[in-house]
Amino acid sequence: MTGRSSTCLAILAELKRRCHETVSGNELAAALGISRTAVWKHIRTLQSRGYQIESQRKRGYRLKAWSHSLRPEEVIPLLRTRCFGRTYEYHETIESTNDRAMDLARTGAPHGTVVVAEEQTAGRGRLRRPWVSLRGLGLYLSVILRPELPPRYGHETTLTASLALARSLRDLYGLPARIKWPNDILISGKKVAGILTEMHSDPDRIQFVVVGVGVNVLHSSMDLPSDTLYPATSLALERERLGAQPSGEEPWAWSRPHVLAGFLNTWEELDEIYMAQGLQALREDLIAVSAVIGKVVRVQVSERILEGVARDLTDRGALVLDMEGGRRETVWVGDILHLREVQQDAPEPSSS
Ligand code: BTN
């Protein structure tokens, strides 16, 4: 980091810390050991980057609005991680963060590398669906993981990421987020986030996994796609609807950099548990926040469509389905096309 940008960061940190007051140029200059003119130049730089800083003659400067920018200077100071986000690549616009992360991983980018964009022009979802990625509204990120595991365990990284996202939204924002196995996050039955995992492996060992995550953060209902399998929602819409409160008091807690950092902090913690103890250590949590366990689900598994009651998750994250006629199926990879409550008056498939 250059001296110039680290001074900008220090000024920003001070204005954030004292966000309810006007901070004089003299105070900033004395605290940083620079001249008032230098302070003014740094403020101009910050303003040109989109920070709304009010400048009052003779009084000083006040940060008026929280930045939603995902630039490294906004996100990295909020991280409590060892690896996740310590290599951080930021793009104003990109075709797809997953494509970029796959390229970086092929050339040796380390475990925990994060690629973030303000906008994607060719964002991809599962089953070749497009992922609409409007500028400045959502989180569009991909994380490179290098678990030392056989390829058959690759799907478990998706479940770990889903649990981290659901848990960070629940714990930090009080939102009732649930996992629609294995890769969607729902709030009150509407999709707020999706995960697309891509993997490169040798026959017996994963080389790398790229976990791409799209979260609807600031979208109004007009910004959300209407032609999706599940109705979509955003954190902003759910916050307003549910009157949810973040755990702290800070007014910037709902900003995109905070949502991203909270997620990465939680994810690294869970990834470490997963790598040390395996997915069974997360199984109970996965079941507790599942949107599907106990529901009737219709699942697409390659060319087949299965319908049954989602009864359980195995230690390795597979979905256990009780089908009509008492047959039991274990599904390792699939897409849930539909889910509904079990009707009390209808005979349930046997659970034996
Ligand atoms: C889905 O729900 O089908 C998965 C959506 C995944 C979207 C994210 S946005 C960041 C990353 N880059 C992409 O092109 N896709 C993923």
Side-chain angles (χ1 to χ4, degrees):
M1 185 175 291
T2 63
R4 185 166 174 75
S5 58
S6 65
T7 311
C8 274
L9 273 188
I11 291 178
L12 197 54
E14 190 59 10
L15 292 180
K16 274 186 180 168
R17 197 176 66 78
R18 297 169 63 183
C19 61
H20 299 296
E21 55 183 301
T22 300
V23 185
S24 80
N26 271 341
E27 280 179 88
L28 288 170
L32 297 167
I34 55 176
S35 68
R36 273 177 47 200
T37 312
V39 168
W40 176 76
K41 282 187 183 155
H42 288 300
I43 295 277
R44 291 289 298 267
T45 306
L46 287 167
Q47 286 169 331
S48 73
R49 288 185 188 167
Y51 294 99
Q52 287 188 39
I53 300 172
E54 187 179 61
S55 161
Q56 292 180 11
R57 257 176 71 79
K58 301 232 164 91
R59 291 201 55 215
Y61 306 100
R62 193 169 73 88
L63 191 60
K64 276 184 62 187
W66 312 118
S67 171
H68 283 282
S69 159
L70 300 171
R71 285 175 184 281
E73 65 260 32
E74 287 293 335
V75 177
I76 289 171
L78 306 174
L79 293 179
R80 286 185 281 101
T81 55
R82 281 188 312 119
C83 301
F84 281 40
R86 295 301 162 183
T87 303
Y88 187 93
E89 193 178 278
Y90 169 83
H91 296 266
E92 290 279 345
T93 182
I94 198 170
E95 287 190 359
S96 157
T97 56
N98 260 39
D99 291 347
R100 176 63 186 154
M102 291 295 281
D103 286 347
L104 286 173
R106 277 187 206 101
T107 54
H111 178 75
T113 297
V114 171
V115 180
V116 165
E118 299 287 354
E119 166 191 58
Q120 294 184 120
T121 53
R124 296 183 279 113
R126 298 235 304 186
L127 304 177
R128 294 166 199 258
R129 296 184 198 116
W131 184 263
V132 178
S133 310
L134 300 178
R135 183 179 195 79
L137 293 184
L139 294 179
Y140 319 114
L141 70 137
S142 301
V143 179
I144 298 170
L145 301 177
R146 295 187 180 277
E148 289 178 9
L149 291 170
R152 65 179 182 282
Y153 296 150
H155 69 281
E156 297 183 358
T157 55
T158 309
L159 288 168
T160 309
S162 292
L163 181 59
L165 186 51
R167 196 189 261 182
S168 67
L169 297 179
R170 295 175 81 90
D171 293 355
L172 305 176
Y173 297 97
L175 291 167
R178 294 195 162 271
I179 302 170
K180 180 169 84 62
W181 181 92
N183 67 315
D184 287 339
I185 304 299
L186 309 183
I187 298 179
S188 310
K190 293 183 178 178
K191 178 163 167 173
V192 75
I195 295 175
L196 171 69
T197 305
E198 297 176 300
M199 186 168 79
H200 182 76
S201 53
D202 296 333
D204 58 345
R205 188 169 173 271
I206 293 174
Q207 283 284 334
F208 59 81
V209 181
V210 166
V211 184
V213 186
V215 188
N216 301 328
V217 182
L218 300 173
H219 300 61
S220 69
S221 40
M222 278 162 49
D223 303 318
L224 293 166
S226 53
D227 54 348
T228 47
L229 200 58
Y230 275 82
T233 190
S234 71
L235 300 186
L237 286 171
E238 293 307 309
R239 174 192 187 183
E240 196 176 302
R241 197 174 64 79
L242 298 163
Q245 286 299 326
S247 51
E249 289 293 304
E250 300 95 342
W252 55 82
W254 291 86
S255 72
R256 287 191 312 148
H258 277 79
V259 177
L260 173 57
F263 169 42
L264 292 174
N265 290 336
T266 309
W267 189 357
E268 185 176 275
E269 266 174 38
L270 294 187
D271 186 62
E272 286 179 357
I273 295 174
Y274 166 64
M275 288 312 296
Q277 300 172 43
L279 197 76
Q280 68 266 25
L282 305 177
R283 178 174 163 266
E284 278 187 14
D285 275 12
L286 281 163
I287 291 174
V289 299
S290 170
V292 306
I293 300 293
K295 302 268 168 63
V296 178
V297 295
R298 193 180 317 132
V299 195
Q300 180 165 358
V301 184
S302 303
E303 304 300 301
R304 290 194 307 158
I305 304 281
L306 301 177
E307 185 160 325
V309 178
R311 189 64 69 192
D312 201 359
L313 276 186
T314 69
D315 277 355
R316 300 241 70 125
L319 189 65
V320 179
L321 283 189
D322 281 341
M323 319 279 289
E324 246 177 60
R327 198 157 51 87
R328 182 164 267 199
E329 289 254 1
T330 301
V331 181
W332 289 91
V333 181
D335 275 279
I336 295 184
L337 305 175
H338 182 76
L339 66 104
R340 62 179 162 80
E341 301 293 334
V342 175
Q343 278 175 347
Q344 293 307 324
D345 49 351
E348 255 193 74
S350 142
S351 61
S352 56

